[in-house]
Amino acid sequence: MKRLLQLVAAASLMPALSFAGVIWKGDFETGNTSQWTRQQAVANSRLQVVTDVVRDGRYALKATVKQGDDPINASGNRNELLYLTHETQGKEYYYKWSTLFPSNYPVHDSWQVITQWHQESCCGSPPLEFFVRGDKINLRVGGNTTPVLWQTSIDKGNWHDFVLHVKWSSDKKAGFVELWHNGEHVLPKTYGANQFGKELNYLKMGLYRDAAIKPEGAIFHDGFTMATTLEDVMPPAPAPVEEPAPAPTPVPDDTTIPAEDPTPVTETPVTQTPQLPTTQLPTVGGQTPTPTPVSNNPNGLPDSSEGVAGGCSASGTSGTLPFAGALLMLGAIALRRRRAPARAVARRARR
């Protein structure tokens, strides 16, 4: 029994263990604001759950403020949702949410608070706040007398994804904040008091601004999650794209193929046509007739060189044979005339 009591006493001295997991969600996926504790708004229309502008899921919050909106009779104009998170000293949490400034969001030199962890007492600047001044989003811890820890452009029309890591403490050496913006680690652990004394904090989200700002302003919030580990709130990194393996480099082939011996060319002797003898014709009337070449055609027919295929060309040889025949006939007649007187003389001598 004594041993059991000692174990119970030792266990009571051990710090409380934080188990991984989501503590709370205020992401509006219920289709309304029922996830939140209550609201501070002049009308329900100032805090609308919408479906046309969302970051995650199907629903998001549209918070609208007009000059004069003062639902709690305090400084400034506001319409905000509250959740009593009641973070205590030494607790450590991760928070995730997204915010969008539409293209017509009014830019003003004065302050406009968009998300804050407020102390339990009623008045004064909160111990941790995200606020807009001009066209910049600012993160400040410890009240309005401390410097801004981080800043970026409001970048109208694009969602801002925030992941905030906080250890709550009124001790400036124990408390810290750490921030990721759009997946980038933009603020490493920065130590400082983020609670006022023993006061607990609670979350407020919407739009709270200087009463001097006249134009109507609207802002969108979505996906708020409170958890105990970074893995519960940080979107997974996109899988790396595998690049295709490079094509293998071809290896040069050093094998030399010997050239083949050239095939000797056999020269075929050209057969020359022998010159045929020509017959010398006797002179007739002082003119020598043109000799007629003998045809190489064994059949005695004229070949293509003798004008058969030449048609009616004036420069062809189609008239050569008739002309030669006429010359032969003239030669024969001349020989007969020469022989006739000789025969007559011989006859007279015989008589």
Side-chain angles (χ1 to χ4, degrees):
M1 185 66 179
K2 183 178 180 180
R3 178 62 177 169
L4 179 60
L5 292 176
Q6 289 176 344
L7 291 174
V8 172
S12 64
L13 296 176
M14 295 176 62
L17 298 177
S18 296
F19 295 95
V22 174
I23 303 299
W24 170 74
K25 280 192 173 185
D27 57 4
F28 312 105
E29 288 306 300
T30 57
N32 51 41
T33 60
S34 61
Q35 297 165 307
W36 296 74
T37 305
R38 64 176 183 267
Q39 67 181 33
Q40 294 175 343
V42 296
N44 290 334
S45 60
R46 298 290 201 270
L47 296 172
Q48 289 183 312
V49 175
V50 297
T51 58
D52 56 337
V53 181
V54 297
R55 180 56 167 162
D56 296 312
R58 299 173 56 192
Y59 302 98
L61 175 72
K62 179 181 180 182
T64 304
V65 173
K66 298 180 180 181
Q67 190 175 33
D69 287 352
D70 186 8
I72 60 174
N73 194 25
S75 62
N77 297 153
R78 77 183 74 209
N79 290 296
E80 296 177 294
L81 289 174
L82 286 75
Y83 185 73
L84 301 180
T85 49
H86 284 168
E87 291 90 348
T88 57
Q89 295 275 342
K91 289 292 185 179
E92 190 173 338
Y93 296 108
Y94 291 85
Y95 306 90
K96 181 201 81 167
W97 74 98
S98 299
T99 299
L100 181 142
F101 299 86
S103 59
N104 60 350
Y105 187 83
V107 174
H108 198 277
D109 290 337
S110 191
W111 54 270
Q112 302 185 69
V113 179
I114 59 175
T115 300
Q116 60 175 315
W117 278 261
H118 202 282
Q119 68 275 21
E120 289 180 312
S121 59
C122 70
C123 305
S125 296
L128 196 157
E129 62 179 329
F130 286 81
F131 69 95
V132 172
R133 187 181 294 274
D135 62 351
K136 302 294 183 182
I137 304 173
N138 303 270
L139 167 60
R140 184 167 57 196
V141 176
N144 59 5
T145 60
T146 58
V148 169
L149 299 181
W150 173 81
Q151 186 181 78
T152 191
S153 170
I154 63 175
D155 192 17
K156 293 182 181 182
N158 293 307
W159 284 98
H160 296 268
D161 298 328
F162 299 101
V163 172
L164 178 67
H165 179 202
V166 183
K167 182 176 182 180
W168 298 101
S169 178
S170 58
D171 183 352
K172 64 181 181 180
K173 295 182 179 180
F176 65 77
V177 294
E178 185 178 14
L179 181 66
W180 288 260
H181 175 254
N182 292 342
E184 295 185 9
H185 193 200
V186 295
L187 181 67
K189 284 184 180 180
T190 303
Y191 285 84
N194 46 40
Q195 283 186 308
F196 294 156
K198 296 182 180 181
E199 293 188 68
L200 302 180
N201 295 335
Y202 62 94
L203 173 66
K204 301 185 76 175
M205 175 174 281
L207 182 58
Y208 167 44
R209 69 185 194 180
D210 189 343
I213 301 175
K214 294 181 179 181
E216 177 181 324
I219 192 172
F220 296 87
H221 297 290
D222 196 8
F224 197 97
T225 303
M226 177 180 178
T228 57
T229 68
L230 180 62
E231 291 74 19
D232 293 322
V233 295
M234 180 67 72
V241 179
E242 295 184 2
E243 297 183 358
T249 304
V251 179
D253 188 0
D254 295 334
T255 304
T256 303
I257 301 176
E260 297 181 357
D261 294 335
T263 303
V265 179
T266 303
E267 295 184 359
T268 303
V270 179
T271 303
Q272 296 183 354
T273 304
Q275 296 291 334
L276 298 178
T278 58
T279 303
Q280 184 69 31
L281 298 179
T283 302
V284 179
Q287 295 183 353
T288 303
T290 303
T292 302
V294 179
S295 174
N296 293 328
N297 193 329
N299 297 324
L301 298 176
D303 53 23
S304 60
S305 65
E306 295 175 334
V308 175
C312 301
S313 174
S315 60
T317 58
S318 59
T320 303
L321 291 177
F323 180 73
L327 291 178
L328 290 175
M329 291 176 65
L330 291 174
I333 293 172
L335 288 175
R336 287 180 181 179
R337 289 180 178 178
R338 289 181 179 179
R339 291 175 181 175
R343 289 177 181 174
V345 173
R347 288 175 182 174
R348 291 174 182 172
R350 290 175 184 174
R351 292 178 181 175

